Amino acid sequence: MPARLFLSSGDLMADRRFEFARDLQLKGDLAAAADLLMQAIELAPNFTSAWFTLADIREQLGEHDAAISAFRQAQASDPGDRRGAGLRLMRLGAEPLTGMPQAYVQTLFDQYAPRFESSLVDDLGYRGPALLFKAVLAVRSATRKPAFFKRAIDLGCGTGLAASAFAREVDHFIGVDLSPRMIERARATGLYAELEVADMLQGLRTRREASADLILAADAMVYVADIARVLAEAARVLVPGGLIAFTTETHDGEGVRLGQGLRYAHAAAYVRAAVEGAGLQLSRLEELSARNEDHAPVPGLVVVAAKT
């Protein structure tokens, strides 16, 4: 993933202390780094990056309550929460599980865009689009329908990896992504007839009823806590017989969890219920990993549902 976002305090001395603290943190001297960060915060009380890094160090040191307090300060100092302090509070059990801040997701992927494909494919062994393509072909074959789609919507399209996998089977591709820099790279592929900067739910809400034959979400549902709302809107947009195909990470428990990588994992039973609640028919649900983490497959699901 991209390097940490640095938000300057506007105070040169505070920024320098932050830089020294980060060097100490990377060298493993967490206590000294924390002291320097406190000095930076004394100079600039609303220094978001210092508060966030201090919170991270407190968590590493096992100082649970101090970490929560510092993450709250980081969140309060940046109303958009571009660093994702709220997500860290959720993971620490200090806040209920909710959706991701749009500013966090947009900032994350704007930073990530220049090396997105090399990192995802080369470093993490990403195979989501290929798995979705295989699953969609299998569903179409089982129903004896051609695997060709006049209009398809690629939710969380990124740089266009999913569109590339389906390019020969789709006549008109629409890409939706919250990151303007990702959209720029998607546009450069020439695969999309339309591109829109929006989150997945917003992107679907702008589409007419029964206007798409296929909706894809490759490695995108992991940034959505409540996938039921996305599925319900997808059901409205799909034509009768249309498909939605998506990947998500999963776990052996119930409901939705926020993992260490700040990505949501959805239990299989939760996914089944969300598909059914949206009025869609589950065509395929396979336990398959779309990517690796620390050189091991991340537990995942490949899902295809149809509008009847």
Side-chain angles (χ1 to χ4, degrees):
M1 294 298 285
R4 295 182 178 211
L5 173 69
F6 174 68
L7 301 173
S8 173
S9 67
D11 183 302
L12 182 60
M13 293 301 296
D15 285 0
R16 285 181 176 174
R17 280 174 168 74
F18 174 84
E19 291 172 3
F20 293 148
R22 282 287 290 137
D23 288 341
L24 289 170
Q25 182 187 21
L26 292 172
K27 293 175 182 176
D29 193 347
L30 300 184
D35 287 342
L36 270 174
L37 289 167
M38 288 302 299
Q39 292 176 32
I41 289 166
E42 287 178 7
L43 293 169
N46 291 318
F47 193 174
T48 303
S49 290
W51 278 117
F52 190 93
T53 305
L54 178 63
D56 193 29
I57 288 173
R58 297 298 190 208
E59 185 178 358
Q60 290 179 61
L61 292 171
E63 300 172 4
H64 185 264
D65 291 343
I68 289 173
S69 177
F71 277 129
R72 290 196 190 283
Q73 292 285 354
Q75 186 181 40
S77 65
D78 180 28
D81 197 13
R82 288 168 286 176
R83 293 293 300 264
L87 292 172
R88 299 291 289 271
L89 288 168
M90 290 181 216
R91 202 186 68 189
L92 288 169
E95 294 290 340
L97 194 69
T98 58
M100 290 191 183
Q102 283 197 3
Y104 165 76
V105 178
Q106 185 177 81
T107 300
L108 176 71
F109 284 98
D110 276 351
Q111 283 187 288
Y112 202 9
R115 60 186 186 90
F116 176 76
E117 289 192 20
S118 62
S119 176
L120 199 58
V121 177
D122 298 336
D123 299 341
L124 302 177
Y126 180 55
R127 47 202 172 267
L131 293 175
L132 287 181
F133 184 69
K134 183 179 179 180
V136 168
L137 287 186
V139 168
R140 282 301 209 193
S141 176
T143 56
R144 298 190 178 186
K145 293 181 180 179
F148 179 78
F149 305 90
K150 290 182 180 180
R151 295 176 67 86
I153 301 174
D154 186 4
L155 299 175
C157 66
T159 58
L161 292 174
S164 179
F166 282 83
R168 293 184 179 180
E169 281 67 38
V170 173
D171 185 46
H172 185 102
F173 243 125
I174 300 164
V176 177
D177 201 286
L178 191 55
S179 164
R181 290 189 180 177
M182 287 291 193
I183 288 290
E184 288 174 9
R185 291 184 173 264
R187 182 172 288 111
T189 67
L191 294 170
Y192 296 94
E194 301 176 48
L195 286 161
E196 180 182 1
V197 177
D199 72 17
M200 292 192 284
L201 197 56
Q202 292 167 339
L204 287 172
R205 284 174 174 166
T206 64
R207 302 295 157 182
R208 300 189 314 276
E209 185 174 342
S211 61
D213 304 282
L214 175 67
I215 297 174
L216 301 172
D219 203 45
M221 293 295 196
V222 294
Y223 298 101
V224 179
D226 182 10
I227 67 171
R229 293 196 301 162
V230 175
L231 292 175
E233 200 62 27
R236 182 189 67 81
V237 173
L238 284 171
V239 300
L243 301 178
I244 177 169
F246 62 93
T247 62
T248 189
E249 293 177 9
T250 193
H251 60 91
D252 294 331
E254 299 179 355
V256 185
R257 293 180 181 174
L258 184 65
Q260 290 296 311
L262 301 184
R263 294 156 60 90
Y264 297 110
H266 304 88
Y270 170 89
V271 173
R272 290 178 184 275
V275 168
E276 181 180 347
L280 296 165
Q281 181 179 353
L282 186 64
S283 302
R284 196 175 187 90
L285 187 151
E286 299 177 276
E287 293 186 2
L288 294 170
S289 174
R291 54 177 274 167
N292 301 330
E293 197 73 46
D294 296 326
H295 307 291
V298 177
L301 302 173
V302 175
V303 185
V304 182
K307 180 175 180 178
T308 56

